[in-house]
Amino acid sequence: MSMTSSPPVGLAALALFASVSCGASGAGVPCPTSVSCANGLECVAGVCVVRAPAGNARVRIMSGLSIPEQRELILRVGPNCVFPTFSVKADDPDVTDVIRALWFIDPDVRYVGGVQGNNGTAVSSEPTVRNVTAPGQFLANLSALADGKKHRVEVVVTDGDFVETVRTDAGVDSQPFLDTTRAAVVTAGQTLPVTAFRDDYAWLVQVDPTTPCQ
């Protein structure tokens, strides 16, 4: 009677390694290296998993580059006065991100009902820095506030989209509030969320309609 012998354990392990390495493994399949996994997957702790998308970099408003430069000012709108520009520079390392802005006068904690600053600025003269300027309607609204009071002028920027959602807290009526959102990324059949960041900048402005400008 003839007998067949099993291959040594080391050879069997080598054969298994070769069979795994030659084929592209799907999610959840054991893997020796990321080369063994299918496109969109990577080898983590010996198992093929969906590769996470590159993280979204945070957008921020650059301090010291705003116009007007002073954070508290008297705005003269009398005879011969030229209304100044209100603008900030938003820095986002993701050069293809679209930056959007909303402008507010005396906003409450919910930030609802702002004036759109722009439909989105994807590029600028610099690689990552975008210029965000207040729109004409906002400036007109501000110049009409000749009541002798200081008003909070604020801009909010985001690298996503502005949305008004409703938050319900226990014992409190539902109220809309300003939120930001960003489209998810679909990778290897799985939907992965992406965080939308936001930043803000504010001035205190008192409007003076009586003092003429030279």
Side-chain angles (χ1 to χ4, degrees):
M1 181 175 63
S2 61
M3 298 180 61
T4 59
S5 59
S6 299
V9 175
L11 293 178
L14 180 61
L16 176 61
F17 178 87
S19 65
V20 173
S21 299
C22 292
S25 301
V29 176
C31 57
T33 66
S34 292
V35 177
S36 308
C37 300
N39 289 337
L41 303 179
E42 60 183 339
C43 189
V44 177
V47 177
C48 291
V49 297
V50 175
R51 181 181 293 112
N56 179 36
R58 182 181 296 273
V59 62
R60 65 181 184 89
I61 294 176
M62 302 177 69
S63 178
L65 297 179
S66 62
I67 299 175
E69 296 181 2
Q70 58 270 41
R71 299 292 289 263
E72 187 171 347
L73 65 146
I74 296 178
L75 185 62
R76 295 182 179 179
V77 294
N80 301 322
C81 293
V82 178
F83 204 90
T85 298
F86 279 77
S87 69
V88 295
K89 290 188 179 296
D91 181 31
D92 187 345
D94 300 323
V95 294
T96 59
D97 273 1
V98 174
I99 305 302
R100 295 179 174 84
L102 281 176
W103 292 79
F104 299 88
I105 300 173
D106 298 326
D108 61 13
V109 294
R110 297 179 294 115
Y111 287 89
V112 174
V115 176
Q116 184 74 43
N118 60 298
N119 293 326
T121 303
V123 295
S124 69
S125 58
E126 299 179 53
T128 64
V129 179
R130 332 291 175 84
N131 192 58
V132 179
T133 303
Q137 182 59 53
F138 173 83
L139 299 177
N141 295 344
L142 179 60
S143 64
L145 297 177
D147 53 10
K149 299 179 181 179
K150 293 181 180 179
H151 296 276
R152 182 179 177 86
V153 172
E154 187 164 352
V155 58
V156 181
V157 300
T158 183
D159 58 3
D161 290 293
F162 289 111
V163 291
E164 290 185 8
T165 56
V166 176
R167 175 177 295 160
T168 303
D169 298 321
V172 180
D173 293 336
S174 299
Q175 293 182 331
F177 72 102
L178 182 69
D179 201 357
T180 56
T181 186
R182 189 168 170 131
V185 173
V186 178
T187 302
Q190 293 193 19
T191 301
L192 303 175
V194 180
T195 300
F197 293 105
R198 61 188 284 179
D199 199 6
D200 58 82
Y201 190 91
W203 299 262
L204 284 179
V205 179
Q206 180 179 338
V207 178
D208 177 9
T210 60
T211 303
C213 296
Q214 301 297 326

